[in-house]
């Protein structure tokens, strides 16, 4: 077959490189907040010791997932942007000199709450805030009861180490969120996540659901020429209504590169720290080969701002 | 694990069904236009005999892929919307009583050409026209020289058998095209396609490219709750410059369901007719389980209408 160019683009790019070590902290979350924080601290320390420069925790990592049922008492878990969990994250980031992506149940005002991702820089300063834009409401994921949809758009956070697009869980299913964050400049989309199986539908259905979840995100990486990292909870958390009612969070946190190749994937059953080497120069290299951003028809995307084109 | 509802949604839906038999005609295209049409006619007849109700051909199926180099003589291949190839498609649709999706090099006016998909109904009437909206320009795919970007938007074509979103090849990489077509009402996105490997980069790179192509489209199916069908050319077509220069079209035409599950995939090496049973009731069933359309933030997607959010 033709090799028109003796040194094609794919070969030329191999020489350069902009390495980033990314840490994914997949956690099982229990009833005791003190133990949860201690476990998260150990995992962050482990990731940092293994060289991770940017570390991400799961969605709402500090406590049990509170949205399995609608209970006003769960608003007691909420904290302001500068609350105790945020302060804890800041100290962890500074202690290890890393960029740390965390997630909190934000109390913005009485009766106004958000599902919020926070990014802290290596000096402990807060460098980014993202309020989850797409809010689910499914059996055992009754988030519309708890969280107002975000009002900060889809930001790109310049962390010094990488331009990060913080998004959260349900956003994973929306190509618009990924695209908007990439257009804002993000090189890595990072999703703190809490997703699992809520009914016993059998192994085939479990596999199909997980596969769809990973596939749609690999699609975002490909369509946008960015890295994608999803950091999930793992293990069973009960609803509290009946002994076996609850969510089995399916773990399987992963990172894929701008060509959609999965670089690493965590266990489906256990807490795990992944430290993954990413070459950020692949963002531009991939976009040179696959120049999708060049050809977008921004003149013809009006219908995307409607719920239906009817 | 919890089975809160003794008959969950996934079980309830199994009783209903709206079957559609979809035919994908993967073709190798040679130098002789008469033989190309004869081969296509045989393949359409084969699909129809096996029960296909909607049949799709590859991109620009009637002749060699003309865009490997820039040559004004290739405009001789172009035809008006009601030209000979369109008439041929109309007769094939009527002869078999099927919906037929074809693709032509459209001559709209002297110096104004499009890469156009046509849909004919079972009486031979033309029921849909789509002019490729996203136009590539890569080595050996120099389409910007030949085709003006389409000006008909992203339609949904009501064919009586299914609501079809005709899109073409490069559109496959753009989540916006899939979303816009789904919002217009499409239940199946059908992409006549001409994609292959243009350099000898080794098996790993070949596999990565093909995998990205399939993955991003499975992502469209998942994000939108629609079926996706891609119908590719297959085999080697020379550039004409050097004996071994050209494109190896990689075949592997496929259909996936609204959960992104590949229902059938054709060979990477040979012409092949796939006839695939699709249950269109899965569109609504999937969207009930995964209600992404409910939660889109159409108030916050302004940046999608910009090339960059800078």
């Amino acid at each position: 077959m033709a090799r028109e160019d003796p040194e094609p683009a794919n070969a030329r790019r191999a020489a350069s490189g902009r390495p980033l070590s990314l840490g994914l902290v997949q956690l099982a979350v229990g009833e005791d907040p003190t133990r949860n924080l201690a476990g998260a601290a150990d995992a962050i320390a482990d990731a940092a010791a293994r060289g991770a420069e940017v570390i991400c925790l799961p969605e709402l990592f500090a406590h049990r997932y509170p949205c399995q049922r609608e209970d006003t008492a769960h608003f007691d878990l909420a904290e302001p942007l500068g609350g105790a969990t945020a302060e804890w994250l800041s100290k962890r980031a500074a202690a290890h000199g890393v960029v740390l992506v965390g997630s909190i149940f934000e109390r913005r005002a009485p009766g106004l709450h958000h599902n919020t991702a926070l990014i802290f820089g290596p000096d402990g300063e807060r460098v980014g805030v993202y309020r989850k834009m797409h809010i689910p409401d499914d059996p055992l994921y009754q988030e519309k009861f708890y969280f107002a949809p975000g009002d900060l758009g889809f930001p790109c956070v310049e962390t010094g180490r990488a331009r990060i697009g913080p998004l959260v869980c349900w956003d994973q299913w929306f190509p618009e969120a990924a695209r908007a964050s990439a257009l804002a400049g993000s090189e890595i989309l990072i999703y703190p996540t809490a997703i699992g199986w809520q009914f016993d539908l059998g192994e085939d259905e479990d596999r199909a659901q997980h596969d769809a979840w990973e596939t749609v995100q690999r699609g975002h990486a490909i369509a946008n020429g960015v890295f994608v990292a999803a950091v999930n909870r793992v293990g069973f958390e009960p609803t509290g209504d009946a002994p076996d009612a609850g969510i089995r969070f399916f773990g399987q946190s992963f990172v894929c590169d701008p060509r959609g190749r999965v670089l690493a994937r965590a266990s489906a059953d256990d807490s795990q720290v992944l430290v993954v080497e990413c070459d950020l120069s692949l963002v531009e290299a991939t976009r040179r080969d696959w120049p999708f951003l060049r050809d977008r028809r921004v003149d013809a995307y009006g219908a995307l701002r409607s719920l239906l084109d009817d």
Side-chain angles (χ1 to χ4, degrees), chain A:
Chain A
M1 224 42 48
R3 182 189 284 273
E4 292 212 321
D5 180 337
E7 195 188 12
N10 290 357
R12 276 197 299 276
R13 89 160 81 92
S16 73
R18 192 151 70 85
L20 175 80
S21 185
L22 186 62
L24 284 67
V25 171
Q26 174 172 298
L27 292 173
V29 180
E31 278 293 342
D32 179 350
T34 307
R35 287 188 60 175
N36 291 337
L37 287 187
D42 287 349
I44 292 166
D46 177 20
R50 289 157 61 191
E53 301 158 282
V54 173
I55 299 174
C56 180
L57 297 163
E59 186 180 11
L60 305 173
F61 73 99
H63 47 72
R64 281 276 167 87
Y65 179 68
C67 311
Q68 293 202 33
R69 49 195 177 86
E70 301 186 351
D71 184 342
T72 54
H74 290 179
F75 288 111
D76 288 341
L77 294 167
E79 304 173 72
L81 279 183
T85 304
E87 196 176 336
W88 183 92
L89 288 164
S90 163
K91 286 188 175 154
R92 291 300 92 209
H96 298 289
V98 298
V99 173
L100 187 58
V101 182
S103 161
I104 65 165
F105 187 164
E106 180 193 349
R107 175 190 165 95
R108 187 172 177 188
L112 180 61
H113 301 81
H114 295 287
N115 186 331
T116 300
L118 301 175
I119 305 188
F120 294 89
D123 296 325
E125 74 286 14
R126 194 180 76 210
V127 294
V129 178
Y130 168 73
R131 292 181 173 134
K132 189 172 181 176
M133 290 287 282
H134 298 98
I135 305 295
D137 204 286
D138 288 320
L140 305 193
Y141 298 86
Q142 304 190 298
E143 295 197 18
K144 288 192 196 297
F145 175 78
Y146 293 99
F147 306 124
D151 60 348
L152 298 176
F154 303 98
C156 165
V157 178
E158 176 56 80
T159 68
R161 290 297 305 130
R163 292 189 294 279
I164 294 176
L167 295 166
V168 177
C169 203
W170 192 237
D171 293 323
Q172 287 160 334
W173 302 95
F174 295 82
E176 292 92 342
R179 180 70 97 202
S181 188
L183 294 180
S186 299
E187 300 166 299
I188 310 182
L189 308 181
I190 299 188
Y191 298 87
T193 301
I195 189 172
W197 298 299
Q198 69 264 49
F199 304 113
D200 184 5
L201 297 173
E203 273 191 35
D204 283 355
E205 186 65 20
D206 285 358
R207 195 164 30 237
Q209 287 191 13
H210 166 262
D211 191 48
W213 171 78
E214 187 178 278
T215 299
V216 76
Q217 292 178 81
R218 292 175 56 213
H220 303 331
I222 295 162
N224 293 289
V226 293
F227 287 83
V228 167
V231 185
N232 198 11
R233 301 162 88 99
V234 70
F236 181 71
E237 297 186 28
T239 305
D241 300 329
D244 61 350
I247 303 175
R248 283 180 296 143
F249 292 100
F250 61 50
Q252 300 179 75
S253 304
F254 73 96
V255 186
C256 73
D257 76 6
R259 298 186 164 230
R261 293 176 290 212
V262 174
L263 303 178
R265 184 189 296 114
S267 152
D269 303 306
D270 293 310
S271 295
Q272 188 173 348
V273 175
L274 291 180
V275 177
V276 185
E277 297 305 313
C278 301
D279 177 359
L280 297 181
S281 75
L282 273 179
V283 171
E284 177 159 354
T286 301
R287 291 181 182 179
R288 286 188 185 195
D289 285 347
W290 297 351
F292 309 135
L293 295 189
R294 178 193 64 192
D295 295 334
R296 296 176 63 243
R297 290 294 304 274
V298 296
D299 60 308
Y301 292 162
L304 301 180
R305 301 202 60 191
S306 303
L307 288 178
L308 203 68
D309 186 13
D310 55 359

